[in-house]
């Protein structure tokens, strides 16, 4: 019997007439995503075309720090083009590059805007640049009443130079809002690691800009001597190249990156708890609550975020005043994370804080975030939050922690792939500890398959800039 195949032509045509979808040859978009993809390509062309003349570079010297030839070339590229991508892995000097660009822009009297997708990433950018940075949402000034940003194509940002860090996290919608707010003649610099996981939202903007071949791109490849001494950096590049990692081993492993073999899930849980509560604080003088982050690939299962959050809540905050809401037990002193953007409170997806106060009668709680702001929430907003003793690797993007603990087990098999492992290990600043199965670790390293993103932004950028249209 021949299977029935419905004729989708008429309903698709109807949806297009209603402007709910956009049909572009063989591709079917929601109207919003088509507008954003085409709009980003058009604005990339505009920013490149409206670039001011080459800025006088002069000599760039950061307190005696001399730039390498690779870094000098990157700075020259930024100041001779309207838009530049700077990409590189750990230890390749991206932080130094940002400082050099900021220093030279300051010497030229240019106004600057610095931003990143998350609050934690913005804080790191501030430290690297030596000047204030914000989230992209705060830079553009979201207006809840209008459902849009105050800065847009009609009211662009006033900055002569925009630096966006952790740009691999920027999805299509956010890029559309950002790039249309770049004022005529301003320069846009996108800094990120192309080998990290792509954005959670639609698109792969950073990769598309690079593969278009039209956006000037500087690839930082030289690993500096200090970084070469870090096992975290060495292991990161072993993972990228698909090699078996060379690491310390055992619960008393030395160095800043080591592996604790354990195949039994319940014993993995016990080891992680011991590391968080005893081993890492004693050995590295780190605070279990603020300095140590457990990262896992999945939410459910014996080794998922849900199980670990419950275990670590009881371990690190056993006596906090407790109440139940949204099918969870919450306690004063809990480490929590926002899971949705909340523009009313100026708190965004991925922001982490500590519950400091609760009022059961009036049903509100207060959370102090990492930027030292304290926000009062109604209990209704708890549905937008989760505990953050353990978070998913995807949620850790753009963040950096003194210590990272990464459970690895075959029960994560559907999620184990190279970019995921690389992203997790590179979140660690001082120490990264992998606990679990050698088989799972090798599976992740050997699996270089990625889910294909249905985007043709790279082609649209090429077409927009073809035949001298700049």
């Amino acid at each position: 019997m021949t299977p029935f195949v419905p004729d989708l032509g008429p309903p698709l045509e109807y949806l297009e007439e209603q402007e709910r979808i956009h049909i572009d040859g063989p591709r079917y978009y929601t109207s919003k995503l088509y507008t954003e993809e085409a709009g980003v390509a058009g604005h990339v062309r505009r920013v490149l075309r409206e670039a001011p003349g080459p800025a006088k570079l002069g000599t760039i010297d950061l307190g005696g720090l001399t730039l390498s030839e690779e870094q000098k070339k990157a700075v020259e590229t930024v100041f001779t083009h309207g838009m530049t991508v700077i990409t590189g892995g750990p230890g390749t000097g991206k932080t130094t590059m940002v400082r050099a660009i900021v220093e030279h822009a300051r010497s030229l009297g240019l106004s600057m805007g610095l931003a990143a997708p998350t609050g934690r990433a913005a804080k790191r950018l501030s430290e690297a640049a030596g000047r204030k940075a914000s989230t992209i949402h705060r830079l553009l000034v979201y207006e809840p009443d209008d459902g849009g940003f105050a800065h847009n194509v009609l009211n662009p940002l006033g900055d002569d130079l925009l630096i966006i860090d952790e740009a691999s996290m920027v999805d299509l919608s956010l890029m559309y809002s950002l790039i249309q707010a770049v004022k005529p003649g301003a320069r846009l610099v996108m800094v990120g690691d192309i080998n990290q996981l792509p954005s959670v939202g639609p698109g792969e903007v950073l990769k598309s800009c690079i593969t278009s071949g039209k956006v000037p791109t500087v690839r930082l490849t030289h690993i500096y001597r200090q970084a070469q001494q870090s096992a975290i950096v060495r292991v990161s590049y072993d993972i990228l190249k698909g090699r078996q990692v060379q690491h310390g081993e055992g619960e008393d492993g030395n160095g800043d990156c080591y592996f604790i073999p354990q195949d039994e899930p319940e014993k993995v849980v016990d080891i992680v708890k011991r590391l968080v509560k005893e081993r890492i604080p004693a050995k590295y003088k780190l605070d279990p609550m603020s300095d140590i982050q457990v990262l896992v690939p999945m939410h459910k299962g014996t080794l998922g975020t849900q199980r670990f959050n419950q275990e670590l809540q009881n371990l690190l905050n056993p006596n906090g005043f407790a109440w139940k809401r949204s099918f969870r037990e919450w306690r004063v002193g809990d480490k929590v994370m926002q899971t949705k953007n909340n523009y009313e409170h100026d708190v965004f997806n991925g922001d982490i804080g500590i519950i400091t106060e609760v009022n059961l009668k009036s049903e509100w709680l207060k959370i102090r975030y990492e930027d030292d702001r304290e926000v009062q929430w109604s209990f209704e907003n708890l549905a937008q939050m989760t505990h953050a003793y353990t978070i998913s690797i995807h949620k850790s993007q753009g963040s950096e922690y003194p210590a990272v603990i990464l459970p690895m087990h075959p029960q994560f098999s559907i999620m184990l792939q190279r970019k995921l492992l690389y992203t997790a290990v590179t979140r660690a600043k001082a120490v990264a500890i992998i606990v679990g199965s050698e088989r799972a670790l090798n599976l992740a390293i050997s699996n270089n398959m990625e889910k294909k993103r249905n985007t043709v932004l790279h082609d649209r950028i090429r077409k927009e800039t073809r035949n001298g249209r700049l």
Side-chain angles (χ1 to χ4, degrees), residues 217-228:
T217 299
V218 177
R219 296 177 182 267
L220 301 175
T221 57
H222 178 72
I223 303 172
Y224 290 88
R225 183 178 301 175
Q226 185 176 357
Q228 289 175 357

Side-chain angles (χ1 to χ4, degrees), residues 314-373:
N314 291 333
L315 182 72
L316 299 178
N317 188 28
N319 301 317
F321 178 81
W323 77 101
K324 288 191 175 181
R325 188 84 176 196
S326 299
F327 309 104
R328 294 191 183 117
E329 182 169 289
W330 305 87
R331 299 174 187 171
V332 173
D334 272 345
K335 183 179 180 181
V336 295
M337 180 176 64
Q338 184 76 7
T339 59
K340 292 183 179 179
N341 291 336
N342 189 299
Y343 301 104
E344 179 184 354
H345 289 297
D346 201 30
V347 177
F348 300 99
N349 189 354
D351 285 353
I352 289 178
I354 301 292
I355 298 175
T356 57
E357 187 179 348
V358 63
N359 187 311
L360 293 180
K361 184 177 180 180
S362 300
E363 296 197 334
W364 56 256
L365 69 152
K366 289 183 180 179
I367 298 176
R368 179 175 291 111
Y369 292 93
E370 292 172 319
D371 58 4
D372 291 327
R373 290 185 309 123

Side-chain angles (χ1 to χ4, degrees), residues 455-467:
T455 176
V456 289
L457 176 59
H458 55 294
D459 283 335
R460 293 193 189 281
I461 294 173
R462 282 194 204 109
K463 290 174 183 176
E464 284 284 348
T465 56
R466 188 175 292 162
N467 300 324

Side-chain angles (χ1 to χ4, degrees), residues 1 11 49 168 213 230 255 258 260 324 380 387 416:
M1 180 181 293
R49 183 188 62 202
S168 63
S230 165
Y258 56 94
I260 302 175
K324 288 191 175 181
E380 294 175 356
H387 290 94
L416 294 178

Side-chain angles (χ1 to χ4, degrees), residues 192-349:
D193 185 347
I194 196 62
N195 293 307
Q196 287 187 29
L197 290 167
S199 59
V200 175
E204 46 187 5
V205 171
L206 188 66
K207 182 179 179 181
S208 294
C209 288
I210 294 172
T211 57
S212 73
K214 298 298 182 180
V215 179
T217 299
V218 177
R219 296 177 182 267
L220 301 175
T221 57
H222 178 72
I223 303 172
Y224 290 88
R225 183 178 301 175
Q226 185 176 357
Q228 289 175 357
Q229 298 171 357
S230 165
I232 294 173
V233 172
R234 292 198 303 272
V235 167
S236 298
Y237 286 103
D238 283 343
I239 293 168
L240 272 187
K241 294 174 183 177
R243 299 191 299 232
Q244 186 173 11
V245 299
Q246 302 298 314
H247 48 67
E249 189 167 299
E251 199 164 332
D252 293 311
N254 293 316
D256 58 4
C257 186
Y258 56 94
F259 175 71
I260 302 175
Q262 180 52 251
D263 293 324
E264 197 60 45
E266 290 298 333
K267 291 183 179 179
V268 171
V269 174
D270 290 340
I271 291 171
V272 170
K273 289 167 64 176
R274 194 156 56 244
L275 287 168
V276 171
K277 182 70 173 179
E278 301 167 10
R279 298 285 186 164
I280 295 178
K283 187 172 183 178
Y284 298 94
K285 310 304 179 187
L286 296 175
D287 180 81
M289 191 73 81
S290 61
D291 296 333
I292 302 172
Q293 188 62 62
V294 180
L295 303 177
V296 297
M298 299 174 68
H299 294 296
K300 296 183 179 180
T302 312
L303 301 176
T305 60
Q306 295 173 0
R307 168 73 187 281
F308 269 117
N309 270 321
Q310 186 177 49
E311 292 284 345
L312 294 176
Q313 179 192 43
N314 291 333
L315 182 72
L316 299 178
N317 188 28
N319 301 317
F321 178 81
W323 77 101
K324 288 191 175 181
R325 188 84 176 196
S326 299
F327 309 104
R328 294 191 183 117
E329 182 169 289
W330 305 87
R331 299 174 187 171
V332 173
D334 272 345
K335 183 179 180 181
V336 295
M337 180 176 64
Q338 184 76 7
T339 59
K340 292 183 179 179
N341 291 336
N342 189 299
Y343 301 104
E344 179 184 354
H345 289 297
D346 201 30
V347 177
F348 300 99
N349 189 354

